[in-house]
Amino acid sequence: MDFHFSSYLLEDAVNELSKLPGVGKRSAMRLALHLLKQEKTHVKRLGESLIKMREEMRFCNKCHNISEKEICNICSNPKRDPSIVCIVEDIRDVLAIENTGQFTGLYHVLGGLISPMDGISPSDLEIRSFLTRIKEENIEEVIFALAATVEGDTTNFYIFKQLKESKIKVSSLARGVAIGDEIEFADEVTLGRSIIQRLPYTGV
């Protein structure tokens, strides 16, 4: 749908907002008009918070989760169990699992899944840094919490093969998460139960 703008400033704002995922031109227009009705100080705080997030946010040197410091709050929390590491695809999965309140170990964010069709190989992911952690840390169990898709299973199996010679326990989420589902979209109860009822991973 084409919009006829009476102001290039409004048009520019709508065009930028519509670049956000899931935001079409109509929603972008609604957001822009909403912001126009707000106090200038509110809109300024919003803009400054976004700029600050983009400029100052970094990734944890250990697990690759988002952080304001070299080591994220989860990795540096002495109450977390460092002997258990949960492997996830991206940051959204960390947030989803944390919301269940059922996991007290650490994470490792791969930054994607192996997908030859999309040109994504193991070297494009944070797999090498994970294998380094295996050598340097006292990790006793690794939990695969990747999407129940072909790409997720391929990534699970690849990492499993790298761990086969070690004595580390390898498990995966119980299939309360349906085949083809993304972890971030699973409800908290289902995801929480899948973590608690995790199963030994055999590579099959």
Side-chain angles (χ1 to χ4, degrees):
M1 177 180 290
D2 293 328
F3 288 95
H4 299 286
F5 297 92
S6 58
S7 165
Y8 77 89
L9 294 174
L10 177 61
E11 181 178 9
D12 187 49
V14 169
N15 287 337
E16 292 303 315
L17 287 168
S18 66
K19 293 176 183 177
L20 295 171
V23 179
K25 279 289 179 72
R26 185 182 296 276
S27 296
M29 173 70 83
R30 189 159 47 247
L31 289 170
L33 293 177
H34 172 76
L35 290 172
L36 272 176
K37 295 177 182 178
Q38 305 304 303
E39 293 289 337
K40 289 183 180 180
T41 53
H42 170 73
V43 179
K44 186 177 180 180
R45 282 198 303 272
L46 173 62
E48 289 174 346
S49 68
L50 293 173
I51 293 170
K52 186 178 179 67
M53 177 188 71
R54 185 63 187 88
E55 292 182 344
E56 299 184 16
M57 190 68 73
R58 55 195 300 175
F59 296 95
C60 175
N61 288 347
K62 188 174 183 179
C63 74
H64 309 290
N65 187 22
I66 54 174
S67 177
E68 300 88 34
K69 301 169 288 187
E70 289 189 4
I71 302 298
C72 72
N73 292 334
I74 294 177
C75 286
S76 60
N77 187 344
K79 294 182 179 179
R80 308 291 296 212
D81 184 352
S83 69
I84 304 177
V85 175
C86 185
I87 297 181
V88 297
E89 178 182 351
D90 64 27
I91 294 155
R92 292 170 295 182
D93 300 328
V94 173
L95 297 174
I97 294 173
E98 282 298 286
N99 285 336
T100 69
Q102 299 294 333
F103 183 65
T104 58
L106 302 181
Y107 295 92
H108 192 85
V109 181
L110 296 178
L113 298 174
I114 297 173
S115 178
M117 293 289 290
D118 297 318
I120 303 174
S121 68
S123 61
D124 296 315
L125 308 177
E126 293 296 345
I127 294 177
R128 184 175 299 175
S129 61
F130 170 69
L131 296 177
T132 299
R133 290 182 68 181
I134 292 295
K135 294 177 182 178
E136 297 178 351
E137 301 174 28
N138 296 319
I139 297 173
E140 298 176 4
E141 181 182 1
V142 170
I143 304 173
F144 290 139
L146 302 179
T149 60
V150 172
E151 293 79 9
D153 289 342
T154 299
T155 308
N156 283 341
F157 187 66
Y158 178 86
I159 297 174
F160 177 67
K161 286 195 300 182
Q162 311 304 310
L163 299 175
K164 214 163 186 180
E165 300 303 318
S166 70
K167 296 180 180 180
I168 293 175
K169 177 182 177 182
V170 181
S171 57
S172 63
L173 297 184
R175 290 302 192 190
V177 179
I179 301 297
D181 276 3
E182 300 289 344
I183 298 299
E184 64 170 304
F185 297 126
D187 67 271
E188 293 176 9
V189 174
T190 299
L191 186 54
R193 286 176 179 169
S194 295
I195 293 169
I196 293 173
Q197 299 169 3
R198 59 186 181 273
L199 306 168
Y201 184 83
T202 60
V204 178

